[in-house]
Amino acid sequence: MEKNYEIVMEFVKDISSETKNAETFIYVKENLKKYNLNIDINSLALKNKLIEVNTKLTFDDKSESDNKSYFFINYATVIKLNDTSDRKIIEKIILCDLQNEIYPRVEKAFLEVLKVSGYKEIAIETKIDFDKLYKKNFN
């Protein structure tokens, strides 16, 4: 099946790893199970059938503890649409098809930052099923 889009460019737009001190670092390492991975996807129409898609991952602790670290990546992908203006098709491209293609690279970049930040044992156990998420939220 031919894709309705092509990736023009992709890059890390923003990335952050914040741990305020050694005490926090130790606390976080002992409490990694409290951390959750969240994803947010948004897009911005550009000129000439181009769309910038921002895939944002945060890995954080929602508890009230003062000893928390915060991890974030905004991975930008610019795509060019091929002969489609159907809003539903574009929505599926941005939220599902493109994410299935780029997510392994997004996750790899994010995990590398976590590892060089001292959290070598972090792994993203749950794989995001973009097809299932799309069907659940948009059908």
Tab-separated table of all heavy atoms in Angstrom, residues 60-89:
chain	number	residue	atom	x	y	z
A	60	ASP	N	7.059	11.221	34.094
A	60	ASP	CA	7.074	11.931	35.359
A	60	ASP	C	6.246	11.245	36.427
A	60	ASP	O	5.510	10.318	36.167
A	60	ASP	CB	6.648	13.388	35.170
A	60	ASP	CG	5.259	13.556	34.587
A	60	ASP	OD1	4.603	12.547	34.281
A	60	ASP	OD2	4.819	14.697	34.432
A	61	ASP	N	6.391	11.765	37.634
A	61	ASP	CA	5.732	11.252	38.831
A	61	ASP	C	4.660	12.264	39.215
A	61	ASP	O	4.965	13.426	39.453
A	61	ASP	CB	6.788	11.120	39.929
A	61	ASP	CG	6.240	10.688	41.276
A	61	ASP	OD1	5.019	10.497	41.400
A	61	ASP	OD2	7.049	10.556	42.208
A	62	LYS	N	3.415	11.818	39.276
A	62	LYS	CA	2.299	12.719	39.594
A	62	LYS	C	2.065	12.848	41.102
A	62	LYS	O	1.163	13.552	41.526
A	62	LYS	CB	0.996	12.220	38.937
A	62	LYS	CG	1.072	12.141	37.423
A	62	LYS	CD	1.095	13.492	36.787
A	62	LYS	CE	1.003	13.360	35.276
A	62	LYS	NZ	1.654	14.411	34.560
A	63	SER	N	2.884	12.195	41.922
A	63	SER	CA	2.681	12.258	43.368
A	63	SER	C	3.048	13.647	43.898
A	63	SER	O	3.595	14.483	43.179
A	63	SER	CB	3.513	11.187	44.077
A	63	SER	OG	4.876	11.570	44.113
A	64	GLU	N	2.795	13.854	45.171
A	64	GLU	CA	3.058	15.148	45.810
A	64	GLU	C	4.501	15.296	46.304
A	64	GLU	O	4.850	16.304	46.887
A	64	GLU	CB	2.082	15.344	46.991
A	64	GLU	CG	0.627	15.400	46.576
A	64	GLU	CD	0.315	16.557	45.633
A	64	GLU	OE1	0.803	17.677	45.875
A	64	GLU	OE2	-0.403	16.329	44.637
A	65	SER	N	5.316	14.292	46.118
A	65	SER	CA	6.689	14.325	46.613
A	65	SER	C	7.477	15.494	46.027
A	65	SER	O	7.303	15.871	44.863
A	65	SER	CB	7.396	13.020	46.242
A	65	SER	OG	8.778	13.109	46.531
A	66	ASP	N	8.351	16.069	46.850
A	66	ASP	CA	9.243	17.138	46.379
A	66	ASP	C	10.440	16.559	45.629
A	66	ASP	O	11.104	17.252	44.875
A	66	ASP	CB	9.740	17.984	47.554
A	66	ASP	CG	8.632	18.860	48.135
A	66	ASP	OD1	7.678	19.182	47.397
A	66	ASP	OD2	8.731	19.209	49.321
A	67	ASN	N	10.723	15.293	45.884
A	67	ASN	CA	11.868	14.636	45.262
A	67	ASN	C	11.436	13.969	43.964
A	67	ASN	O	11.241	12.760	43.898
A	67	ASN	CB	12.476	13.597	46.207
A	67	ASN	CG	13.170	14.241	47.368
A	67	ASN	OD1	13.739	15.316	47.235
A	67	ASN	ND2	13.122	13.594	48.514
A	68	LYS	N	11.290	14.784	42.937
A	68	LYS	CA	10.863	14.258	41.639
A	68	LYS	C	11.826	14.732	40.555
A	68	LYS	O	12.382	15.820	40.643
A	68	LYS	CB	9.467	14.759	41.276
A	68	LYS	CG	8.377	14.249	42.157
A	68	LYS	CD	7.021	14.529	41.568
A	68	LYS	CE	6.503	15.864	41.981
A	68	LYS	NZ	5.097	16.081	41.659
A	69	SER	N	11.950	13.908	39.559
A	69	SER	CA	12.661	14.307	38.342
A	69	SER	C	11.621	14.454	37.249
A	69	SER	O	10.501	13.956	37.362
A	69	SER	CB	13.688	13.258	37.939
A	69	SER	OG	14.758	13.227	38.852
A	70	TYR	N	12.021	15.130	36.203
A	70	TYR	CA	11.116	15.367	35.077
A	70	TYR	C	11.892	15.101	33.806
A	70	TYR	O	13.026	15.580	33.643
A	70	TYR	CB	10.629	16.826	35.117
A	70	TYR	CG	9.808	17.230	33.933
A	70	TYR	CD1	8.467	16.865	33.834
A	70	TYR	CD2	10.363	17.984	32.896
A	70	TYR	CE1	7.700	17.247	32.745
A	70	TYR	CE2	9.603	18.369	31.802
A	70	TYR	CZ	8.279	17.996	31.734
A	70	TYR	OH	7.522	18.367	30.656
A	71	PHE	N	11.288	14.336	32.903
A	71	PHE	CA	11.936	13.995	31.642
A	71	PHE	C	10.968	14.292	30.503
A	71	PHE	O	9.785	13.960	30.578
A	71	PHE	CB	12.307	12.511	31.629
A	71	PHE	CG	13.071	12.076	32.848
A	71	PHE	CD1	12.422	11.401	33.880
A	71	PHE	CD2	14.420	12.352	32.977
A	71	PHE	CE1	13.121	11.001	35.015
A	71	PHE	CE2	15.116	11.961	34.112
A	71	PHE	CZ	14.466	11.279	35.136
A	72	PHE	N	11.495	14.893	29.434
A	72	PHE	CA	10.628	15.346	28.349
A	72	PHE	C	11.386	15.327	27.030
A	72	PHE	O	12.577	15.636	26.981
A	72	PHE	CB	10.172	16.783	28.654
A	72	PHE	CG	9.473	17.470	27.524
A	72	PHE	CD1	8.124	17.230	27.276
A	72	PHE	CD2	10.141	18.378	26.699
A	72	PHE	CE1	7.464	17.876	26.234
A	72	PHE	CE2	9.490	19.012	25.659
A	72	PHE	CZ	8.143	18.767	25.421
A	73	ILE	N	10.683	14.961	25.956
A	73	ILE	CA	11.226	15.114	24.606
A	73	ILE	C	10.093	15.581	23.692
A	73	ILE	O	8.957	15.145	23.827
A	73	ILE	CB	11.838	13.803	24.064
A	73	ILE	CG1	12.551	14.041	22.718
A	73	ILE	CG2	10.801	12.708	23.931
A	73	ILE	CD1	13.386	12.862	22.226
A	74	ASN	N	10.421	16.519	22.817
A	74	ASN	CA	9.509	16.935	21.747
A	74	ASN	C	10.224	16.600	20.447
A	74	ASN	O	11.234	17.214	20.103
A	74	ASN	CB	9.200	18.428	21.823
A	74	ASN	CG	8.255	18.885	20.717
A	74	ASN	OD1	7.852	18.105	19.859
A	74	ASN	ND2	7.919	20.153	20.731
A	75	TYR	N	9.711	15.607	19.759
A	75	TYR	CA	10.299	15.120	18.517
A	75	TYR	C	9.454	15.657	17.364
A	75	TYR	O	8.269	15.341	17.262
A	75	TYR	CB	10.295	13.592	18.533
A	75	TYR	CG	11.153	12.937	17.490
A	75	TYR	CD1	12.489	12.657	17.752
A	75	TYR	CD2	10.634	12.568	16.263
A	75	TYR	CE1	13.284	12.023	16.799
A	75	TYR	CE2	11.423	11.930	15.309
A	75	TYR	CZ	12.749	11.669	15.588
A	75	TYR	OH	13.531	11.042	14.653
A	76	ALA	N	10.047	16.493	16.549
A	76	ALA	CA	9.316	17.117	15.446
A	76	ALA	C	9.561	16.353	14.145
A	76	ALA	O	10.686	15.950	13.856
A	76	ALA	CB	9.747	18.565	15.279
A	77	THR	N	8.486	16.177	13.408
A	77	THR	CA	8.556	15.539	12.094
A	77	THR	C	7.794	16.419	11.115
A	77	THR	O	6.662	16.812	11.390
A	77	THR	CB	7.903	14.139	12.112
A	77	THR	OG1	8.396	13.398	13.226
A	77	THR	CG2	8.191	13.383	10.837
A	78	VAL	N	8.420	16.753	10.002
A	78	VAL	CA	7.732	17.511	8.963
A	78	VAL	C	7.412	16.526	7.848
A	78	VAL	O	8.293	15.819	7.353
A	78	VAL	CB	8.588	18.683	8.435
A	78	VAL	CG1	7.882	19.396	7.292
A	78	VAL	CG2	8.901	19.664	9.570
A	79	ILE	N	6.120	16.486	7.522
A	79	ILE	CA	5.679	15.571	6.463
A	79	ILE	C	5.056	16.364	5.323
A	79	ILE	O	4.566	17.473	5.518
A	79	ILE	CB	4.667	14.521	6.980
A	79	ILE	CG1	3.398	15.189	7.531
A	79	ILE	CG2	5.314	13.616	8.014
A	79	ILE	CD1	2.271	14.218	7.867
A	80	LYS	N	5.109	15.774	4.136
A	80	LYS	CA	4.443	16.332	2.962
A	80	LYS	C	3.329	15.366	2.589
A	80	LYS	O	3.558	14.167	2.438
A	80	LYS	CB	5.418	16.480	1.804
A	80	LYS	CG	4.771	17.104	0.569
A	80	LYS	CD	5.816	17.365	-0.502
A	80	LYS	CE	5.199	17.940	-1.742
A	80	LYS	NZ	4.985	19.361	-1.718
A	81	LEU	N	2.127	15.913	2.472
A	81	LEU	CA	0.991	15.093	2.092
A	81	LEU	C	1.003	14.837	0.595
A	81	LEU	O	1.323	15.722	-0.182
A	81	LEU	CB	-0.319	15.778	2.480
A	81	LEU	CG	-0.520	16.002	3.973
A	81	LEU	CD1	-1.784	16.807	4.223
A	81	LEU	CD2	-0.580	14.679	4.711
A	82	ASN	N	0.634	13.623	0.218
A	82	ASN	CA	0.559	13.247	-1.192
A	82	ASN	C	-0.905	13.150	-1.596
A	82	ASN	O	-1.581	12.205	-1.224
A	82	ASN	CB	1.244	11.895	-1.435
A	82	ASN	CG	2.712	11.941	-1.113
A	82	ASN	OD1	3.333	12.987	-1.157
A	82	ASN	ND2	3.275	10.801	-0.753
A	83	ASP	N	-1.385	14.119	-2.328
A	83	ASP	CA	-2.714	14.074	-2.946
A	83	ASP	C	-3.856	13.698	-2.013
A	83	ASP	O	-4.677	12.849	-2.352
A	83	ASP	CB	-2.712	13.102	-4.139
A	83	ASP	CG	-1.687	13.501	-5.184
A	83	ASP	OD1	-1.518	14.717	-5.381
A	83	ASP	OD2	-1.068	12.615	-5.773
A	84	THR	N	-3.892	14.303	-0.846
A	84	THR	CA	-5.054	14.085	0.019
A	84	THR	C	-5.379	15.365	0.768
A	84	THR	O	-4.478	16.076	1.195
A	84	THR	CB	-4.859	12.920	1.004
A	84	THR	OG1	-6.091	12.719	1.686
A	84	THR	CG2	-3.781	13.191	2.026
A	85	SER	N	-6.651	15.653	0.851
A	85	SER	CA	-7.091	16.789	1.650
A	85	SER	C	-8.219	16.357	2.586
A	85	SER	O	-8.770	17.169	3.305
A	85	SER	CB	-7.553	17.938	0.746
A	85	SER	OG	-8.600	17.489	-0.085
A	86	ASP	N	-8.505	15.060	2.583
A	86	ASP	CA	-9.550	14.508	3.446
A	86	ASP	C	-9.081	14.590	4.902
A	86	ASP	O	-8.069	13.994	5.274
A	86	ASP	CB	-9.827	13.058	3.048
A	86	ASP	CG	-10.938	12.435	3.860
A	86	ASP	OD1	-10.956	12.594	5.095
A	86	ASP	OD2	-11.796	11.754	3.256
A	87	ARG	N	-9.827	15.301	5.704
A	87	ARG	CA	-9.448	15.549	7.104
A	87	ARG	C	-9.273	14.250	7.899
A	87	ARG	O	-8.350	14.130	8.705
A	87	ARG	CB	-10.498	16.449	7.754
A	87	ARG	CG	-10.131	16.905	9.135
A	87	ARG	CD	-11.024	18.065	9.560
A	87	ARG	NE	-10.832	18.431	10.939
A	87	ARG	CZ	-9.805	19.114	11.405
A	87	ARG	NH1	-8.852	19.516	10.597
A	87	ARG	NH2	-9.717	19.409	12.684
A	88	LYS	N	-10.145	13.287	7.678
A	88	LYS	CA	-10.056	12.007	8.393
A	88	LYS	C	-8.767	11.252	8.039
A	88	LYS	O	-8.120	10.670	8.898
A	88	LYS	CB	-11.276	11.123	8.071
A	88	LYS	CG	-12.502	11.518	8.833
A	88	LYS	CD	-12.341	11.092	10.258
A	88	LYS	CE	-13.619	11.155	11.037
A	88	LYS	NZ	-13.376	11.173	12.467
A	89	ILE	N	-8.418	11.289	6.768
A	89	ILE	CA	-7.190	10.613	6.328
A	89	ILE	C	-5.965	11.317	6.925
A	89	ILE	O	-5.046	10.661	7.415
A	89	ILE	CB	-7.101	10.556	4.778
A	89	ILE	CG1	-8.200	9.631	4.239
A	89	ILE	CG2	-5.720	10.095	4.324
A	89	ILE	CD1	-8.330	9.622	2.725
